[in-house]
Structures are given as structure tokens and as C-alpha cells.
């Protein structure tokens, strides 16, 4: 069984995941500004008459939802009788194939996350204000780095990613092509919080 460790800025802790599909589910939850909180492997849920481990609990817009990856790795805790079972929560069942349509975004987020983890503590509120001011329209990442060339380019890039993580900037490019200096970012419209995720 795989053991994948990754730091989550949103949860402010290290996660331990046991499949690439679980990693993909985390990347979608972590990168979505509408997701307020999540927890990996929160407990058991009933599926087709069996008691199986859920892959992810997600809260979005005050609405709780369980994500179960069909055909994924089935975990068996040592003291399963002490693990909670959730029966009154909405369950969204997804297959590994479901992640394929989000693969570019997931791969991009796996490149973005280390910037936030390593550098966010060096990015000041004033720097965030300076960076967001650059985006008076759609601009490539390079423009922000060039406009603030008196600041380390890695920190400017981190600030862009932090603003996207918070929902203040967004990028349609990251859905369809790999992250590059030419990736376009723009200010986000006001978010209307959906009832559930990942619908």
C-alpha cells in the first residue's frame, strides 16, 4: 500500500494518504476556495450493505459531504469498533475515472502547493495587496513577476498562488494546460457558495 505524506495549508497539518486517488481528492478540496474544511478518512459509511471507510469529509458553504472513491483502496483500522460510522450525511461516490477530467488542474495544484507551504510565511499582507493590484485585467504570471521585480520572483509567484488559494484570483488556464509563466490569472468574481462539492 502506498503511503503519501503531504502538508495541507488549509488544514495546517501533515496529511497521510494511501492512494493517488485520495491525493487527487485532497488536491481538489485544498485548491477550492469554497471548501472551508476537510478531513481525510473520517470514519465508516454504509455502502451497498457494507461498512466501508470514507475517503474524505468536506464542508462547503456550511454543508457537510462525504466523498467515497469507488474501486479505491479499502482501509481497515486496527480498532475498527472505535471508529465512528456516519449514516446521516450526504455521500458522493466517485470513480478513479472521475478524476481524469480534473487531471490538469490536480497536477498543477501539486506544483503550486509547495510554493505556499515553503514561502507563505515570507509573504506580507502588503505584498499581497501589491500583487493583486497588478491584475486589473487578465495577466500572465510573468507580468506580476516583472511588475514587482524589486521583490524576489519566487515570493511574487507564491503571493499569486496564495491569492488563488483564497479565492481572490483565479485561472481558467490551469484547468486546461500546465502551469507556466504565461499562465493567465484574473481577479475572481464574487463566489456564490454551492450546496455541495464536488458537483
Amino acid at each position: 500500500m502506498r503511503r503519501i505524506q503531504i502538508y495541507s495549508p488549509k488544514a495546517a497539518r501533515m496529511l497521510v494518504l494511501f492512494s493517488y486517488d485520495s491525493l487527487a481528492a485532497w488536491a481538489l478540496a485544498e485548491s477550492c476556495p469554497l471548501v472551508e474544511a476537510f478531513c481525510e478518512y473520517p470514519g465508516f459509511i454504509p455502502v451497498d450493505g457494507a461498512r466501508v471507510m470514507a475517503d474524505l469529509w468536506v464542508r462547503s458553504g456550511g454543508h457537510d459531504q462525504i466523498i467515497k472513491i469507488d474501486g479505491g483502496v479499502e482501509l481497515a483500522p486496527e480498532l475498527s469498533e472505535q471508529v465512528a460510522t456516519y449514516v446521516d450525511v450526504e455521500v458522493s461516490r466517485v470513480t478513479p475515472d472521475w478524476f481524469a477530467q480534473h487531471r490538469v488542474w490536480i497536477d498543477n495544484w501539486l506544483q503550486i502547493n509547495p510554493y505556499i507551504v515553503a514561502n507563505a510565511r515570507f509573504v506580507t499582507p502588503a505584498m499581497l495587496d501589491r500583487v493583486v493590484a497588478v491584475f486589473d485585467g487578465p495577466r500572465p504570471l510573468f507580468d506580476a513577476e516583472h511588475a514587482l521585480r524589486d521583490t524576489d520572483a519566487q515570493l511574487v509567484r507564491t503571493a499569486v498562488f496564495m491569492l488563488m488559494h483564497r479565492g481572490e484570483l483565479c485561472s481558467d488556464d490551469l484547468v486546461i494546460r500546465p502551469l507556466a509563466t504565461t499562465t493567465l490569472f484574473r481577479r475572481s468574481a464574487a463566489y456564490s457558495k454551492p450546496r455541495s462539492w464536488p458537483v
Side-chain angles (χ1 to χ4, degrees):
M1 180 181 293
R2 294 182 177 89
R3 179 184 173 93
I4 302 167
Q5 291 184 284
I6 193 161
Y7 189 83
S8 162
K10 189 170 287 185
R13 62 180 174 84
M14 190 69 74
L15 308 184
V16 178
L17 306 170
F18 296 100
S19 72
Y20 290 125
D21 290 333
S22 293
L23 180 67
W26 162 79
L28 291 172
E30 179 72 42
S31 63
C32 179
L34 300 175
V35 172
E36 301 152 11
F38 60 81
C39 179
E40 72 283 20
Y41 312 119
F44 289 109
I45 54 172
V47 173
D48 299 331
R51 184 172 176 254
V52 299
M53 181 65 70
D55 291 286
L56 196 68
W57 164 83
V58 176
R59 172 165 291 165
S60 177
H63 177 72
D64 293 349
Q65 187 176 17
I66 293 285
I67 308 299
K68 175 58 185 168
I69 303 170
D70 287 343
V73 173
E74 293 298 341
L75 300 179
E78 288 184 11
L79 302 174
S80 61
E81 67 280 0
Q82 297 181 16
V83 178
T85 298
Y86 298 90
V87 294
D88 295 323
V89 67
E90 180 181 332
V91 175
S92 287
R93 296 173 64 175
V94 299
T95 65
D97 290 341
W98 182 85
F99 294 107
Q101 61 189 307
H102 305 288
R103 180 51 53 193
V104 176
W105 177 270
I106 291 165
D107 289 346
N108 282 329
W109 188 258
L110 293 177
Q111 291 187 62
I112 288 169
N113 194 63
Y115 282 91
I116 298 175
V117 172
N119 300 327
R121 64 187 181 275
F122 303 116
V123 177
T124 65
M127 187 186 302
L128 291 173
D129 289 342
R130 292 181 66 202
V131 170
V132 79
V134 172
F135 295 92
D136 53 357
R139 296 280 184 269
L141 184 58
F142 173 81
D143 275 10
E145 295 175 352
H146 182 72
L148 280 75
R149 55 187 177 276
D150 60 333
T151 303
D152 185 282
Q154 295 296 311
L155 294 185
V156 174
R157 186 173 293 200
T158 299
V160 170
F161 297 153
M162 289 172 65
L163 289 163
M164 188 178 70
H165 191 229
R166 297 177 181 190
E168 296 180 49
L169 294 179
C170 60
S171 174
D172 299 326
D173 278 359
L174 291 176
V175 177
I176 58 175
R177 57 181 63 93
L179 174 68
T181 56
T182 54
T183 298
L184 291 176
F185 293 85
R186 58 180 172 81
R187 292 192 191 184
S188 302
Y191 280 99
S192 57
K193 301 216 172 194
R195 173 171 151 67
S196 63
W197 181 93
V199 176

